[in-house]
Coordinates of all heavy atoms in Angstrom, one line a residue:
M101 N -26.6 -13.8 0.9 CA -25.4 -13.2 0.4 C -25.6 -11.7 0.3 O -26.7 -11.3 -0.2 CB -25.0 -13.8 -0.9 CG -23.6 -13.2 -1.4 SD -23.3 -13.7 -3.2 CE -22.8 -15.4 -3.0
S102 N -24.7 -10.9 0.8 CA -24.9 -9.5 0.7 C -24.7 -9.0 -0.7 O -23.9 -9.5 -1.5 CB -23.9 -8.8 1.6 OG -23.8 -7.4 1.3
K103 N -25.4 -7.9 -1.1 CA -25.3 -7.4 -2.4 C -23.9 -6.7 -2.6 O -23.5 -6.5 -3.8 CB -26.4 -6.5 -2.7 CG -26.4 -5.2 -1.9 CD -27.5 -4.2 -2.3 CE -27.4 -3.0 -1.5 NZ -28.2 -1.9 -2.0
T104 N -23.3 -6.4 -1.6 CA -22.0 -5.7 -1.7 C -20.9 -6.8 -2.0 O -19.8 -6.4 -2.2 CB -21.6 -4.9 -0.4 OG1 -21.6 -5.8 0.7 CG2 -22.5 -3.8 -0.2
N105 N -21.2 -8.0 -1.8 CA -20.2 -9.1 -1.9 C -19.4 -9.0 -3.2 O -18.2 -9.3 -3.2 CB -20.9 -10.4 -1.8 CG -20.1 -11.4 -1.0 OD1 -19.1 -11.0 -0.3 ND2 -20.3 -12.7 -1.2
L106 N -20.1 -8.8 -4.3 CA -19.4 -8.8 -5.6 C -18.7 -7.4 -5.9 O -17.9 -7.3 -6.8 CB -20.3 -9.1 -6.7 CG -20.4 -10.6 -7.1 CD1 -21.5 -10.8 -8.1 CD2 -19.1 -11.0 -7.8
I107 N -19.2 -6.4 -5.2 CA -18.7 -5.1 -5.5 C -17.3 -4.9 -5.1 O -16.4 -4.3 -5.8 CB -19.6 -4.0 -4.9 CG1 -21.0 -4.2 -5.3 CG2 -19.1 -2.6 -5.2 CD1 -21.3 -4.1 -6.8
L108 N -17.0 -5.3 -3.9 CA -15.6 -5.1 -3.4 C -15.0 -6.4 -2.9 O -15.7 -7.2 -2.3 CB -15.8 -4.1 -2.2 CG -14.5 -3.3 -1.9 CD1 -14.2 -2.3 -3.0 CD2 -14.8 -2.4 -0.6
K109 N -13.7 -6.5 -3.2 CA -13.0 -7.7 -2.8 C -11.7 -7.3 -2.2 O -11.2 -6.2 -2.4 CB -12.8 -8.6 -4.0 CG -14.0 -9.3 -4.6 CD -13.6 -10.2 -5.7 CE -14.8 -11.0 -6.2 NZ -14.4 -11.9 -7.3
K110 N -11.2 -8.3 -1.4 CA -9.9 -8.1 -0.8 C -8.9 -7.8 -1.9 O -8.9 -8.4 -2.9 CB -9.6 -9.3 0.0 CG -8.6 -9.1 1.1 CD -8.3 -10.4 1.9 CE -7.0 -10.2 2.7 NZ -6.6 -11.5 3.3
N111 N -8.0 -6.9 -1.5 CA -6.9 -6.5 -2.4 C -7.3 -5.6 -3.6 O -6.4 -5.2 -4.4 CB -6.1 -7.7 -3.0 CG -5.4 -8.5 -1.9 OD1 -5.0 -8.0 -0.9 ND2 -5.4 -9.8 -2.1
D112 N -8.6 -5.2 -3.6 CA -9.0 -4.2 -4.6 C -8.3 -2.9 -4.3 O -8.1 -2.6 -3.1 CB -10.5 -4.0 -4.5 CG -11.3 -5.0 -5.4 OD1 -10.7 -5.7 -6.2 OD2 -12.5 -5.0 -5.2
K113 N -8.0 -2.2 -5.3 CA -7.6 -0.8 -5.2 C -8.8 0.0 -5.1 O -9.7 -0.1 -6.0 CB -6.7 -0.4 -6.3 CG -5.2 -0.7 -6.1 CD -4.4 0.6 -6.4 CE -3.0 0.5 -5.7 NZ -2.1 -0.2 -6.6
V114 N -8.9 0.9 -4.1 CA -10.1 1.7 -4.0 C -9.7 3.2 -3.8 O -8.6 3.5 -3.3 CB -11.0 1.2 -2.9 CG1 -11.7 -0.1 -3.2 CG2 -10.3 1.2 -1.6
I115 N -10.6 4.1 -4.2 CA -10.4 5.5 -3.9 C -11.6 5.9 -2.9 O -12.7 5.4 -3.0 CB -10.4 6.3 -5.2 CG1 -10.1 7.8 -4.8 CG2 -11.8 6.2 -5.9 CD1 -9.7 8.6 -6.1
V116 N -11.2 6.8 -2.0 CA -12.2 7.2 -1.0 C -12.9 8.4 -1.6 O -12.4 9.3 -2.1 CB -11.5 7.6 0.3 CG1 -12.5 8.0 1.4 CG2 -10.6 6.5 0.8
L117 N -14.3 8.3 -1.5 CA -15.1 9.3 -2.1 C -15.5 10.5 -1.2 O -15.8 11.6 -1.6 CB -16.4 8.7 -2.6 CG -16.3 7.6 -3.6 CD1 -17.6 7.0 -3.9 CD2 -15.6 8.1 -4.9
T118 N -15.4 10.2 0.1 CA -15.9 11.2 1.1 C -15.1 11.1 2.4 O -14.5 10.0 2.7 CB -17.4 11.1 1.3 OG1 -17.8 12.2 2.1 CG2 -17.8 9.8 1.9
G119 N -15.2 12.1 3.2 CA -14.5 12.1 4.5 C -13.1 12.6 4.5 O -12.7 13.2 3.5
K120 N -12.4 12.4 5.6 CA -11.1 13.1 5.7 C -10.1 12.5 4.8 O -9.1 13.1 4.5 CB -10.7 13.0 7.2 CG -10.3 11.6 7.7 CD -9.9 11.6 9.1 CE -9.8 10.2 9.7 NZ -8.4 9.7 9.8
D121 N -10.3 11.3 4.3 CA -9.3 10.7 3.4 C -9.8 10.8 1.9 O -9.3 10.0 1.1 CB -9.0 9.2 3.8 CG -8.1 9.1 5.0 OD1 -7.3 10.0 5.2 OD2 -8.3 8.2 5.8
K122 N -10.7 11.7 1.7 CA -11.3 11.8 0.3 C -10.1 11.9 -0.7 O -9.2 12.7 -0.6 CB -12.2 13.0 0.3 CG -12.9 13.2 -1.0 CD -13.8 14.4 -1.0 CE -14.4 14.7 -2.3 NZ -15.3 15.9 -2.3
G123 N -10.3 11.1 -1.8 CA -9.3 11.2 -2.9 C -8.1 10.3 -2.7 O -7.3 10.2 -3.6
K124 N -8.0 9.7 -1.5 CA -6.8 8.9 -1.3 C -7.1 7.4 -1.8 O -8.3 7.0 -1.9 CB -6.5 8.8 0.2 CG -5.9 10.1 0.7 CD -5.4 10.0 2.1 CE -4.9 11.3 2.6 NZ -4.6 11.3 4.1
I125 N -6.0 6.8 -2.1 CA -6.2 5.4 -2.7 C -5.5 4.4 -1.8 O -4.4 4.6 -1.3 CB -5.5 5.4 -4.1 CG1 -6.4 6.3 -5.0 CG2 -5.4 4.0 -4.6 CD1 -5.7 6.6 -6.4
G126 N -6.1 3.2 -1.7 CA -5.5 2.2 -0.9 C -6.0 0.8 -1.3 O -6.9 0.7 -2.1
S127 N -5.4 -0.2 -0.7 CA -5.8 -1.6 -1.0 C -6.7 -2.1 0.1 O -6.5 -1.8 1.2 CB -4.6 -2.5 -1.1 OG -3.7 -2.1 -2.2
V128 N -7.7 -2.8 -0.3 CA -8.7 -3.3 0.7 C -8.0 -4.5 1.4 O -7.5 -5.4 0.8 CB -10.0 -3.8 0.0 CG1 -10.9 -4.5 1.0 CG2 -10.7 -2.7 -0.7
L129 N -8.0 -4.4 2.7 CA -7.4 -5.4 3.5 C -8.4 -6.4 4.0 O -8.1 -7.6 4.2 CB -6.7 -4.8 4.8 CG -5.5 -3.9 4.5 CD1 -5.0 -3.3 5.8 CD2 -4.4 -4.6 3.8
K130 N -9.6 -5.9 4.3 CA -10.6 -6.7 5.0 C -12.0 -6.2 4.7 O -12.1 -5.0 4.6 CB -10.3 -6.7 6.5 CG -10.9 -8.0 7.2 CD -10.5 -7.9 8.7 CE -11.2 -9.0 9.4 NZ -11.2 -8.8 10.9
I131 N -12.9 -7.1 4.5 CA -14.3 -6.6 4.2 C -15.2 -7.2 5.2 O -15.2 -8.4 5.5 CB -14.7 -7.0 2.8 CG1 -13.8 -6.3 1.8 CG2 -16.1 -6.5 2.5 CD1 -13.9 -6.9 0.4
D132 N -16.1 -6.4 5.7 CA -17.2 -6.9 6.6 C -18.5 -6.7 5.8 O -19.1 -5.6 5.9 CB -17.2 -6.2 7.9 CG -18.2 -6.8 8.9 OD1 -19.1 -7.5 8.5 OD2 -18.0 -6.6 10.1
T133 N -18.9 -7.7 5.1 CA -20.1 -7.5 4.3 C -21.4 -7.3 5.1 O -22.3 -6.6 4.7 CB -20.3 -8.7 3.3 OG1 -20.2 -9.9 4.0 CG2 -19.3 -8.7 2.2
E134 N -21.4 -7.9 6.3 CA -22.6 -7.8 7.1 C -22.8 -6.3 7.6 O -23.9 -5.8 7.6 CB -22.5 -8.7 8.4 CG -23.0 -10.1 8.0 CD -23.0 -11.0 9.3 OE1 -23.0 -10.4 10.4 OE2 -22.9 -12.2 9.1
K135 N -21.7 -5.7 7.9 CA -21.8 -4.3 8.4 C -21.6 -3.3 7.2 O -21.7 -2.1 7.4 CB -20.7 -4.0 9.4 CG -21.1 -4.7 10.8 CD -20.0 -4.4 11.8 CE -20.3 -5.1 13.1 NZ -19.2 -5.2 14.0
G136 N -21.2 -3.8 6.1 CA -21.0 -3.0 4.9 C -19.8 -2.1 5.1 O -19.8 -0.9 4.6
R137 N -18.8 -2.6 5.7 CA -17.6 -1.8 5.9 C -16.3 -2.5 5.4 O -16.3 -3.8 5.4 CB -17.5 -1.5 7.4 CG -18.5 -0.5 7.9 CD -18.5 -0.4 9.4 NE -19.4 0.7 9.7 CZ -19.0 2.0 9.9 NH1 -17.7 2.3 9.8 NH2 -19.9 2.9 10.2
A138 N -15.3 -1.8 5.2 CA -14.1 -2.3 4.7 C -12.9 -1.6 5.4 O -13.0 -0.4 5.7 CB -13.9 -2.2 3.2
I139 N -11.9 -2.4 5.6 CA -10.6 -1.8 6.1 C -9.7 -1.6 4.9 O -9.4 -2.6 4.2 CB -10.0 -2.7 7.2 CG1 -10.9 -2.6 8.4 CG2 -8.6 -2.2 7.5 CD1 -10.4 -3.5 9.5
V140 N -9.2 -0.4 4.7 CA -8.3 -0.1 3.6 C -7.0 0.3 4.1 O -6.8 1.1 5.1 CB -8.9 1.1 2.7 CG1 -8.0 1.3 1.5 CG2 -10.3 0.7 2.3
E141 N -6.0 -0.3 3.5 CA -4.6 -0.1 4.0 C -4.2 1.4 4.1 O -4.4 2.2 3.2 CB -3.6 -0.7 3.0 CG -2.2 -0.8 3.4 CD -1.3 -1.5 2.4 OE1 -1.7 -1.6 1.2 OE2 -0.3 -2.0 2.8
K142 N -3.8 1.8 5.3 CA -3.3 3.1 5.6 C -4.3 4.2 5.5 O -4.0 5.4 5.4 CB -2.0 3.4 4.8 CG -0.9 2.6 5.1 CD 0.4 3.1 4.4 CE 1.6 2.3 4.9 NZ 1.7 0.9 4.4
L143 N -5.6 3.9 5.4 CA -6.6 4.9 5.3 C -7.6 4.8 6.5 O -7.7 3.8 7.1 CB -7.4 4.7 4.0 CG -6.6 5.0 2.7 CD1 -7.5 4.9 1.5 CD2 -5.9 6.4 2.7
N144 N -8.2 5.9 6.7 CA -9.1 6.1 7.9 C -8.4 5.7 9.2 O -8.9 4.9 10.0 CB -10.4 5.2 7.7 CG -11.5 5.8 8.5 OD1 -11.6 7.0 8.7 ND2 -12.4 5.0 8.9
I145 N -7.2 6.2 9.3 CA -6.3 5.9 10.4 C -6.9 6.5 11.7 O -7.2 7.7 11.7 CB -4.9 6.4 10.2 CG1 -4.3 5.7 9.0 CG2 -4.0 6.2 11.4 CD1 -3.9 4.2 9.2
I146 N -6.9 5.7 12.7 CA -7.2 6.3 14.0 C -6.0 6.2 14.9 O -5.2 5.2 14.8 CB -8.4 5.7 14.7 CG1 -8.3 4.1 14.7 CG2 -9.7 6.1 14.1 CD1 -9.2 3.5 15.7
K147 N -5.8 7.2 15.7 CA -4.6 7.1 16.6 C -5.0 6.8 18.0 O -6.0 7.4 18.5 CB -3.9 8.5 16.6 CG -3.2 8.8 15.2 CD -2.5 10.1 15.2 CE -1.8 10.3 13.9 NZ -1.3 11.6 13.7
K148 N -4.4 5.8 18.5 CA -4.7 5.4 19.8 C -3.5 5.7 20.7 O -2.3 5.3 20.3 CB -5.0 3.9 19.9 CG -6.4 3.6 19.5 CD -6.7 2.1 19.7 CE -8.2 1.8 19.4 NZ -8.5 0.4 19.5
H149 N -3.7 6.3 21.8 CA -2.6 6.5 22.7 C -2.4 5.2 23.5 O -3.3 4.7 24.2 CB -2.9 7.7 23.6 CG -2.9 9.0 22.9 ND1 -1.8 9.8 22.7 CD2 -3.9 9.6 22.2 CE1 -2.2 10.8 22.0 NE2 -3.4 10.7 21.7
S150 N -1.2 4.7 23.5 CA -0.9 3.6 24.4 C -0.3 4.2 25.7 O 0.5 5.1 25.7 CB 0.1 2.6 23.7 OG 1.3 3.2 23.5
K151 N -0.6 3.5 26.8 CA -0.2 4.0 28.0 C 1.3 3.8 28.2 O 1.9 2.8 27.8 CB -0.9 3.3 29.2 CG -2.3 3.9 29.4 CD -2.9 3.1 30.5 CE -4.4 3.6 30.7 NZ -5.1 2.8 31.7
A152 N 1.9 4.8 28.9 CA 3.3 4.6 29.3 C 3.5 3.4 30.2 O 2.7 3.2 31.2 CB 3.8 5.9 30.0
G153 N 4.5 2.6 30.0 CA 4.7 1.5 30.8 C 5.4 1.8 32.1 O 5.8 3.0 32.3
A154 N 5.7 0.9 32.8 CA 6.5 1.1 34.0 C 8.0 1.4 33.7 O 8.4 1.3 32.6 CB 6.4 -0.2 34.9
K155 N 8.7 1.9 34.7 CA 10.1 2.1 34.5 C 10.4 3.1 33.4 O 11.4 2.9 32.7 CB 10.9 0.8 34.4 CG 10.8 -0.1 35.6 CD 11.6 -1.4 35.4 CE 11.4 -2.3 36.6 NZ 12.0 -3.6 36.4
G156 N 9.6 4.1 33.2 CA 10.0 5.2 32.3 C 9.8 4.8 30.8 O 10.2 5.6 30.0
A157 N 9.2 3.7 30.5 CA 8.9 3.4 29.1 C 7.9 4.4 28.6 O 7.0 4.8 29.2 CB 8.3 2.0 29.0
K158 N 8.2 4.9 27.4 CA 7.4 5.9 26.8 C 6.0 5.4 26.3 O 6.0 4.3 25.8 CB 8.1 6.6 25.6 CG 9.2 7.6 26.1 CD 9.8 8.2 24.8 CE 11.0 9.1 25.2 NZ 11.8 9.5 24.1
G159 N 5.0 6.2 26.6 CA 3.8 5.9 25.9 C 3.9 6.4 24.5 O 4.6 7.3 24.2
G160 N 3.1 5.8 23.7 CA 3.2 6.2 22.3 C 1.8 6.3 21.6 O 0.8 6.0 22.3
I161 N 1.9 6.6 20.4 CA 0.6 6.7 19.6 C 0.7 5.5 18.6 O 1.6 5.4 17.8 CB 0.5 8.0 18.9 CG1 0.4 9.1 19.9 CG2 -0.7 8.0 18.0 CD1 0.4 10.5 19.3
V162 N -0.4 4.7 18.7 CA -0.5 3.6 17.8 C -1.5 3.9 16.7 O -2.6 4.4 17.0 CB -1.0 2.3 18.5 CG1 -1.1 1.1 17.6 CG2 0.0 2.0 19.6
E163 N -1.1 3.8 15.5 CA -2.0 4.1 14.4 C -2.6 2.8 13.8 O -1.9 1.8 13.6 CB -1.2 4.9 13.3 CG -0.7 6.2 13.7 CD -0.2 7.1 12.6 OE1 0.1 6.5 11.5 OE2 -0.1 8.3 12.8
K164 N -3.8 2.9 13.6 CA -4.5 1.7 13.2 C -5.7 2.0 12.2 O -6.3 3.0 12.4 CB -5.1 1.0 14.4 CG -5.6 -0.4 14.3 CD -5.9 -1.0 15.6 CE -6.4 -2.4 15.6 NZ -7.7 -2.5 15.0
E165 N -5.8 1.2 11.2 CA -6.9 1.5 10.2 C -8.2 1.1 10.9 O -8.3 0.1 11.6 CB -6.8 0.6 9.0 CG -5.6 0.9 8.1 CD -4.4 0.0 8.3 OE1 -4.4 -0.7 9.3 OE2 -3.5 0.1 7.5
S166 N -9.2 2.0 10.7 CA -10.5 1.6 11.2 C -11.5 1.4 10.0 O -11.3 2.0 8.9 CB -11.1 2.7 12.1 OG -11.4 3.8 11.5
P167 N -12.5 0.6 10.1 CA -13.3 0.3 9.0 C -14.1 1.5 8.5 O -14.5 2.4 9.3 CB -14.3 -0.8 9.6 CG -13.7 -1.2 10.8 CD -12.9 -0.1 11.4
M168 N -14.3 1.6 7.2 CA -15.2 2.6 6.7 C -16.3 2.1 5.8 O -16.1 0.9 5.3 CB -14.4 3.7 6.0 CG -13.5 3.3 4.8 SD -12.7 4.7 4.2 CE -11.0 4.2 4.3
P169 N -17.3 2.8 5.6 CA -18.4 2.3 4.9 C -18.0 2.0 3.4 O -17.4 2.8 2.8 CB -19.5 3.4 4.9 CG -19.1 4.2 6.1 CD -17.6 4.1 6.2
I170 N -18.4 0.8 2.9 CA -18.1 0.5 1.6 C -18.7 1.5 0.6 O -18.1 1.7 -0.5 CB -18.6 -1.0 1.3 CG1 -17.7 -2.0 2.0 CG2 -18.6 -1.3 -0.2 CD1 -18.2 -3.4 2.0
S171 N -19.8 2.1 1.0 CA -20.4 3.1 0.1 C -19.6 4.3 -0.1 O -19.8 5.1 -1.0 CB -21.8 3.4 0.6 OG -21.7 3.9 1.9
N172 N -18.6 4.5 0.8 CA -17.7 5.6 0.6 C -16.5 5.3 -0.3 O -15.6 6.2 -0.5 CB -17.1 6.0 2.0 CG -18.1 6.7 2.8 OD1 -19.3 6.9 2.4 ND2 -17.8 7.1 4.0
L173 N -16.5 4.1 -0.8 CA -15.3 3.7 -1.6 C -15.7 3.4 -3.0 O -16.8 3.0 -3.3 CB -14.7 2.4 -1.0 CG -14.3 2.5 0.5 CD1 -13.9 1.1 1.0 CD2 -13.1 3.4 0.6
M174 N -14.8 3.6 -3.9 CA -15.0 3.2 -5.3 C -13.8 2.4 -5.8 O -12.7 2.8 -5.6 CB -15.2 4.5 -6.2 CG -15.8 4.2 -7.5 SD -16.3 5.7 -8.4 CE -18.0 5.5 -8.6
V175 N -14.1 1.4 -6.5 CA -13.1 0.5 -7.0 C -12.3 1.2 -8.2 O -12.9 1.9 -9.0 CB -13.7 -0.8 -7.5 CG1 -12.6 -1.7 -8.2 CG2 -14.3 -1.6 -6.4
I176 N -11.0 1.0 -8.2 CA -10.3 1.5 -9.3 C -10.0 0.3 -10.2 O -9.4 -0.7 -9.8 CB -8.9 2.2 -8.8 CG1 -9.3 3.4 -8.0 CG2 -8.0 2.5 -10.0 CD1 -8.1 4.1 -7.5
C177 N -10.4 0.5 -11.5 CA -10.2 -0.6 -12.4 C -8.8 -0.9 -12.7 O -7.9 0.0 -12.9 CB -10.9 -0.1 -13.7 SG -10.6 -1.3 -15.1
S178 N -8.4 -2.2 -12.7 CA -7.1 -2.6 -12.9 C -6.6 -2.4 -14.4 O -5.4 -2.4 -14.7 CB -6.8 -4.0 -12.4 OG -7.8 -4.9 -13.0
K179 N -7.6 -2.3 -15.2 CA -7.3 -2.2 -16.6 C -7.1 -0.7 -17.1 O -6.1 -0.4 -17.7 CB -8.4 -2.8 -17.5 CG -8.5 -4.3 -17.3 CD -7.5 -5.1 -18.1 CE -7.5 -6.6 -17.8 NZ -8.6 -7.2 -17.2
C180 N -8.1 0.1 -16.8 CA -8.0 1.5 -17.2 C -7.6 2.5 -16.2 O -7.4 3.7 -16.4 CB -9.4 1.9 -17.8 SG -10.7 2.0 -16.7
A181 N -7.4 2.0 -14.9 CA -6.9 2.8 -13.8 C -7.8 3.9 -13.5 O -7.4 4.9 -12.8 CB -5.5 3.3 -14.1
E182 N -9.1 3.8 -13.8 CA -10.1 4.9 -13.5 C -11.0 4.3 -12.3 O -11.3 3.2 -12.3 CB -11.0 5.2 -14.7 CG -10.3 5.8 -15.8 CD -10.0 7.3 -15.6 OE1 -10.7 7.9 -14.8 OE2 -9.1 7.8 -16.3
P183 N -11.4 5.3 -11.4 CA -12.4 4.8 -10.4 C -13.7 4.6 -11.2 O -14.1 5.3 -12.1 CB -12.5 6.1 -9.6 CG -11.4 7.0 -9.9 CD -11.0 6.7 -11.3
T184 N -14.3 3.5 -10.9 CA -15.5 3.1 -11.6 C -16.5 2.4 -10.8 O -16.3 1.9 -9.8 CB -15.1 2.1 -12.8 OG1 -16.2 1.8 -13.5 CG2 -14.4 0.9 -12.2
R185 N -17.8 2.5 -11.3 CA -18.8 1.7 -10.7 C -18.6 0.3 -11.3 O -18.0 0.1 -12.4 CB -20.2 2.2 -11.1 CG -20.5 3.5 -10.4 CD -21.9 4.0 -10.7 NE -22.9 3.0 -10.4 CZ -24.0 2.9 -11.0 NH1 -24.3 3.7 -12.0 NH2 -24.9 2.0 -10.7
V186 N -19.0 -0.7 -10.5 CA -18.8 -2.1 -10.9 C -20.1 -2.7 -11.4 O -21.1 -2.6 -10.8 CB -18.3 -2.9 -9.7 CG1 -18.2 -4.4 -10.1 CG2 -16.9 -2.3 -9.2
G187 N -20.0 -3.2 -12.6 CA -21.1 -4.0 -13.1 C -20.9 -5.5 -13.0 O -19.9 -5.9 -12.5
K188 N -21.9 -6.2 -13.4 CA -21.8 -7.7 -13.3 C -22.1 -8.2 -14.6 O -23.0 -7.8 -15.3 CB -22.8 -8.2 -12.2 CG -22.4 -7.9 -10.8 CD -23.5 -8.4 -9.9 CE -23.4 -7.6 -8.6 NZ -24.6 -7.8 -7.8
R189 N -21.4 -9.3 -14.9 CA -21.7 -10.0 -16.2 C -21.8 -11.4 -15.9 O -21.0 -12.0 -15.1 CB -20.5 -9.7 -17.2 CG -20.8 -10.3 -18.5 CD -19.6 -10.1 -19.4 NE -19.4 -8.7 -19.8 CZ -18.2 -8.3 -20.1 NH1 -17.1 -9.0 -20.1 NH2 -18.0 -7.0 -20.4
L190 N -22.8 -12.0 -16.4 CA -23.0 -13.5 -16.2 C -22.3 -14.2 -17.3 O -22.5 -14.0 -18.5 CB -24.5 -13.7 -16.2 CG -25.0 -15.0 -15.6 CD1 -24.7 -15.1 -14.1 CD2 -26.5 -15.2 -15.8
L191 N -21.5 -15.1 -16.9 CA -20.8 -15.9 -17.9 C -21.6 -17.1 -18.3 O -22.6 -17.5 -17.7 CB -19.4 -16.4 -17.3 CG -18.4 -15.3 -16.9 CD1 -17.2 -15.9 -16.4 CD2 -18.1 -14.4 -18.1
E192 N -21.2 -17.7 -19.4 CA -21.9 -18.9 -19.9 C -22.0 -20.0 -18.9 O -23.0 -20.7 -18.9 CB -21.3 -19.4 -21.2 CG -21.5 -18.5 -22.4 CD -20.8 -19.0 -23.7 OE1 -20.3 -20.1 -23.6 OE2 -20.8 -18.3 -24.7
D193 N -21.0 -20.2 -18.1 CA -21.1 -21.2 -17.1 C -21.9 -20.9 -15.9 O -21.9 -21.6 -14.9 CB -19.6 -21.7 -16.7 CG -18.9 -20.6 -16.0 OD1 -19.4 -19.5 -15.7 OD2 -17.7 -20.8 -15.6
G194 N -22.5 -19.7 -15.9 CA -23.3 -19.3 -14.8 C -22.6 -18.5 -13.7 O -23.3 -17.9 -12.8
S195 N -21.3 -18.4 -13.8 CA -20.6 -17.6 -12.8 C -20.6 -16.1 -13.1 O -20.9 -15.8 -14.3 CB -19.1 -18.1 -12.7 OG -18.5 -17.9 -13.9
K196 N -20.5 -15.3 -12.1 CA -20.5 -13.9 -12.4 C -19.2 -13.2 -12.3 O -18.3 -13.6 -11.5 CB -21.4 -13.2 -11.3 CG -22.9 -13.4 -11.5 CD -23.6 -12.8 -10.3 CE -25.1 -13.2 -10.4 NZ -25.8 -12.9 -9.1
V197 N -18.9 -12.3 -13.2 CA -17.7 -11.5 -13.0 C -18.0 -10.1 -12.9 O -19.1 -9.6 -13.3 CB -16.7 -11.7 -14.3 CG1 -16.2 -13.1 -14.3 CG2 -17.5 -11.3 -15.5
R198 N -17.1 -9.3 -12.3 CA -17.3 -7.9 -12.1 C -16.7 -7.2 -13.4 O -15.7 -7.6 -13.9 CB -16.6 -7.4 -10.9 CG -17.0 -8.1 -9.6 CD -16.4 -7.6 -8.4 NE -14.9 -7.7 -8.5 CZ -14.1 -7.0 -7.7 NH1 -14.6 -6.1 -6.9 NH2 -12.8 -7.1 -7.9
T199 N -17.4 -6.2 -13.8 CA -16.9 -5.5 -15.0 C -16.8 -4.0 -14.6 O -17.5 -3.5 -13.8 CB -17.9 -5.6 -16.2 OG1 -19.2 -5.2 -15.8 CG2 -18.0 -7.1 -16.6
C200 N -15.9 -3.4 -15.3 CA -15.7 -1.9 -15.2 C -16.7 -1.2 -16.1 O -16.8 -1.5 -17.3 CB -14.2 -1.6 -15.6 SG -13.9 0.1 -15.8
K201 N -17.4 -0.3 -15.5 CA -18.4 0.5 -16.3 C -17.8 1.5 -17.2 O -18.4 2.0 -18.1 CB -19.4 1.1 -15.3 CG -20.3 0.1 -14.6 CD -21.7 0.4 -14.7 CE -22.5 -0.7 -14.0 NZ -24.0 -0.5 -14.1
K202 N -16.5 1.7 -17.0 CA -15.8 2.7 -17.8 C -15.3 2.1 -19.1 O -15.5 2.5 -20.2 CB -14.6 3.3 -17.1 CG -15.1 4.3 -16.0 CD -14.9 5.7 -16.4 CE -15.5 6.7 -15.4 NZ -14.8 6.9 -14.2
C203 N -14.5 1.0 -18.9 CA -13.9 0.4 -20.1 C -14.5 -1.0 -20.5 O -14.2 -1.5 -21.6 CB -12.4 0.2 -19.9 SG -11.9 -1.1 -18.7
G204 N -15.4 -1.5 -19.6 CA -16.1 -2.7 -20.0 C -15.3 -4.0 -19.7 O -15.8 -5.1 -19.9
E205 N -14.0 -3.8 -19.3 CA -13.2 -5.0 -19.0 C -13.7 -5.7 -17.7 O -14.2 -5.0 -16.8 CB -11.7 -4.6 -18.9 CG -11.1 -4.2 -20.2 CD -10.9 -5.3 -21.2 OE1 -10.8 -6.5 -20.7 OE2 -10.8 -5.1 -22.4
S206 N -13.4 -6.9 -17.6 CA -13.7 -7.6 -16.3 C -12.7 -7.2 -15.3 O -11.5 -7.1 -15.6 CB -13.8 -9.1 -16.5 OG -12.7 -9.6 -17.1
I207 N -13.1 -7.1 -14.1 CA -12.2 -6.8 -12.9 C -12.0 -8.1 -12.1 O -13.0 -8.6 -11.7 CB -12.8 -5.7 -12.0 CG1 -13.1 -4.4 -12.8 CG2 -11.9 -5.4 -10.9 CD1 -13.8 -3.4 -12.1
I208 N -10.8 -8.5 -12.1 CA -10.6 -9.8 -11.4 C -10.5 -9.6 -9.9 O -9.8 -8.7 -9.4 CB -9.2 -10.4 -11.8 CG1 -9.2 -10.5 -13.4 CG2 -9.1 -11.8 -11.2 CD1 -10.2 -11.3 -14.0
Ligands
ZN252 ZN1 -11.8 0.0 -16.7

């Protein structure tokens, strides 16, 4: 299991710490723990030119999210709405929950 597994989850709100989208906020759509990358909604957009089709159909630009390093992202706590580092807390039943290092609340 990757150590990033608990840090970031699908649908988390994250803020971008570095790069062209620095300071922007989005929801995590997909996580690749093996590569340590995540796709965040409407962030790190790359533009691809699609070829013009036959019979005068216009070529266009297709915008698509590209994966970015998880280390460039910080989770925004759903409780205090602050970007935070994520801690872990072991529950009595042995399961782990993520906690906000700012307010101490668990992050679901
Ligand atoms: Zn918090």
